[in-house]
Amino acid sequence: MLDIFLNVSLLLISASTIGFVYRVVKGPSTADRAMALDAIGINIIAITAIISIIFRTQAFFEVILLLGIIAFVGTVAFSKFLEKGEVIEYERDQ
């Protein structure tokens, strides 16, 4: 029963990831594209976690943590770029 539930959820998350890829390509605004990229990162984390449960291994836990950190930093950087037009500010007192 658990295997069926995991496989169905894996299929649904994969289908939603395809929808988010469409939103990234066709998104009406840049903010929509940023949100879709963040959602893709979350879906990839979920897919990795489900695969880890299916394989009954803990080997993917570090991968999940790394993907979470990369998705968070990417979202913050992209949001800052949308707000200020640059990711790294070079203003220093000279």
Side-chain angles (χ1 to χ4, degrees):
M1 182 69 182
L2 181 64
D3 290 335
I4 293 171
F5 177 73
L6 290 173
N7 287 331
V8 168
S9 61
L10 190 62
L11 181 69
L12 291 174
I13 292 172
S14 299
S16 70
T17 303
I18 292 171
F20 288 131
V21 169
Y22 175 77
R23 178 58 57 196
V24 168
V25 173
K26 293 289 283 186
S29 69
T30 308
D32 291 332
R33 290 182 172 127
M35 287 182 55
L37 282 174
D38 187 42
I40 288 171
I42 293 170
N43 280 357
I44 289 173
I45 292 169
I47 289 170
T48 307
I50 290 172
I51 288 173
S52 176
I53 293 171
I54 289 173
F55 289 157
R56 301 183 197 285
T57 181
Q58 298 178 354
F60 296 119
F61 286 173
E62 289 86 10
V63 174
I64 293 170
L65 180 64
L66 185 64
L67 286 173
I69 292 170
I70 290 172
F72 175 73
V73 170
T75 301
V76 169
F78 202 68
S79 299
K80 187 174 178 184
F81 177 75
L82 288 177
E83 181 182 352
K84 296 184 177 181
E86 60 184 351
V87 176
I88 299 172
E89 298 175 9
Y90 292 106
E91 296 177 10
R92 291 187 176 205
D93 295 333
Q94 297 178 359

